[in-house]
Amino acid sequence: MCAKTTVAPLDRIKILLQAHNKHYKHDGVFSGLRNIVAKENVWALYKGNGAQMVRIFPYASTQFTSFELYKKVLNNLWGHNKYLNKTTSAIAGSLAGVTAVFLTYPLDTIRARLAFQVSGEHLYTGILNAATTIFQTEGGMRALYRGFTATVCGMIPYAGLSFYCFEQMKYLCMKHLPDQTCRSCDKNTGGLVLLIPAKLLCGGLAGAIAQSFSYPFDVTRRRMQLAWMTEETRKFGEMGMVDTLRLIYKENGVTRGLYRGMSINYMRAIPMVAVSFSTYELTKQMLGLDTGLAIKMG
């Protein structure tokens, strides 16, 4: 919660830039943050953070718990097939990400709507008001899940790559840099446990790689979620994911369209993913669970 609240201002300016809010579409990261305070107030930096706080607990717990379950099922399914075993983390991570997103997606839509609002132009007064208004006026549950397909298309490479890259970098650290990145631990497979700085480094790099591949789908999701906020954006509510992607590219290109707000995303996501993976590993250690890996020497 503390970490999410710390980066909440970056989350809000990212949403405003991604969806080209008319008040901030010409701003960059820092000018946008300054203008939010000048045009609205300091607390406006945290719009939508309440919905994010409600969402983060079920999302994180579902993602990491289901990852372990899917990984166990896949390992039993693959048996000793060395080629399939290499894909376990990626596939389990993708399935875990989709599971967590499906269960918490309406809260993500509400968070985006609240964050996109500008003082003086409010459509919603809070989480419950936003949920009931969207449900009653835009087509029920379908409206709360608008952009879900784009989210799934982005989540599969994002969650899969982040878990896969984390596990692979963890393996490389344990195999090639054990003295610098690990300490001995008899409980673990391989007899090693990753040190906290190494956990953070592996998590941060994994997050950066995964975000780079999946970001255009994140922009597409935001455009579709926020389509009914203004007349200018309503066109995105009347088309599917592929047409939305094409229109974003046609109107704004790659850097100012499909990758709009990417620099902010690195600033907020890399430390967040680093902390998430580190907390996940430390929690497993506290519970006496195995966080090691079988290291093949030679």
Side-chain angles (χ1 to χ4, degrees):
M1 284 182 70
C2 293
K4 278 290 183 184
T5 301
T6 301
V7 299
L10 294 175
D11 272 330
R12 188 179 181 218
I13 192 62
K14 187 188 84 162
I15 290 170
L16 292 170
L17 293 180
Q18 281 181 327
H20 287 253
N21 184 288
K22 64 182 180 181
H23 297 286
Y24 301 100
K25 64 182 179 180
H26 299 299
D27 289 331
V29 180
F30 299 109
S31 61
L33 291 170
R34 285 196 303 269
N35 285 333
I36 288 173
V37 175
K39 293 177 181 178
E40 301 178 66
N41 54 58
V42 173
W43 300 114
L45 294 169
Y46 295 90
K47 280 185 179 178
N49 193 50
Q52 178 77 317
M53 293 299 98
V54 175
R55 172 180 173 267
I56 192 62
F57 282 114
Y59 179 87
S61 59
T62 300
Q63 184 181 35
F64 286 114
T65 302
S66 59
F67 172 71
E68 293 295 334
L69 292 173
Y70 287 132
K71 193 164 73 167
K72 186 175 181 180
V73 169
L74 290 171
N75 280 330
N76 291 333
L77 191 64
W78 300 155
H80 297 291
N81 188 307
K82 64 179 182 179
Y83 299 108
L84 289 176
N85 282 333
K86 290 179 180 179
T87 68
T88 298
S89 293
I91 295 173
S94 296
L95 292 171
V98 172
T99 303
V101 165
F102 177 76
L103 292 176
T104 61
Y105 193 81
L107 280 168
D108 187 58
T109 298
I110 292 165
R111 188 275 295 256
R113 294 286 186 102
L114 295 174
F116 192 74
Q117 294 186 128
V118 175
S119 296
E121 300 176 6
H122 282 189
L123 296 176
Y124 315 110
T125 57
I127 297 172
L128 291 177
N129 177 256
T132 54
T133 302
I134 295 168
F135 186 86
Q136 291 172 358
T137 63
E138 296 181 29
M141 288 302 293
R142 183 183 176 189
L144 289 167
Y145 275 87
R146 185 177 289 119
F148 181 70
T149 303
T151 304
V152 170
C153 289
M155 181 53 66
I156 290 172
Y158 172 71
L161 274 172
S162 58
F163 276 103
Y164 176 78
C165 291
F166 180 77
E167 296 265 315
Q168 290 302 305
M169 284 185 276
K170 179 177 167 182
Y171 178 83
L172 291 173
C173 286
M174 288 181 168
K175 182 174 183 179
H176 299 291
L177 298 167
D179 295 334
Q180 293 81 17
T181 62
C182 306
R183 63 176 173 81
S184 60
C185 179
D186 295 334
K187 293 181 181 179
N188 275 357
T189 302
L192 295 172
V193 63
L194 214 58
L195 296 173
I196 292 177
K199 294 182 200 292
L200 290 167
L201 179 62
C202 291
L205 288 172
I209 294 167
Q211 286 281 347
S212 299
F213 282 92
S214 63
Y215 193 75
F217 292 105
D218 189 47
V219 174
T220 303
R221 166 186 60 151
R222 289 292 179 227
R223 288 297 188 97
M224 296 178 77
Q225 284 179 329
L226 300 169
W228 293 86
M229 292 289 287
T230 67
E231 288 297 327
E232 298 86 30
T233 60
R234 192 151 295 190
K235 58 192 174 187
F236 292 106
E238 299 167 355
M239 58 181 69
M241 180 193 74
V242 175
D243 289 334
T244 302
L245 269 166
R246 285 176 182 156
L247 186 57
I248 294 170
Y249 176 75
K250 182 179 177 181
E251 290 187 344
N252 304 110
V254 176
T255 55
R256 294 190 61 81
L258 295 175
Y259 279 88
R260 173 80 162 162
M262 186 64 182
S263 59
I264 310 169
N265 210 50
Y266 281 135
M267 291 167 62
R268 58 169 285 284
I270 292 174
M272 285 299 304
V273 177
V275 171
S276 294
F277 273 111
S278 299
T279 304
Y280 162 61
E281 289 264 307
L282 288 169
T283 303
K284 285 178 69 177
Q285 286 173 222
M286 289 171 62
L287 294 173
L289 301 175
D290 189 355
T291 62
L293 295 170
I295 308 298
K296 294 180 182 178
M297 305 307 293

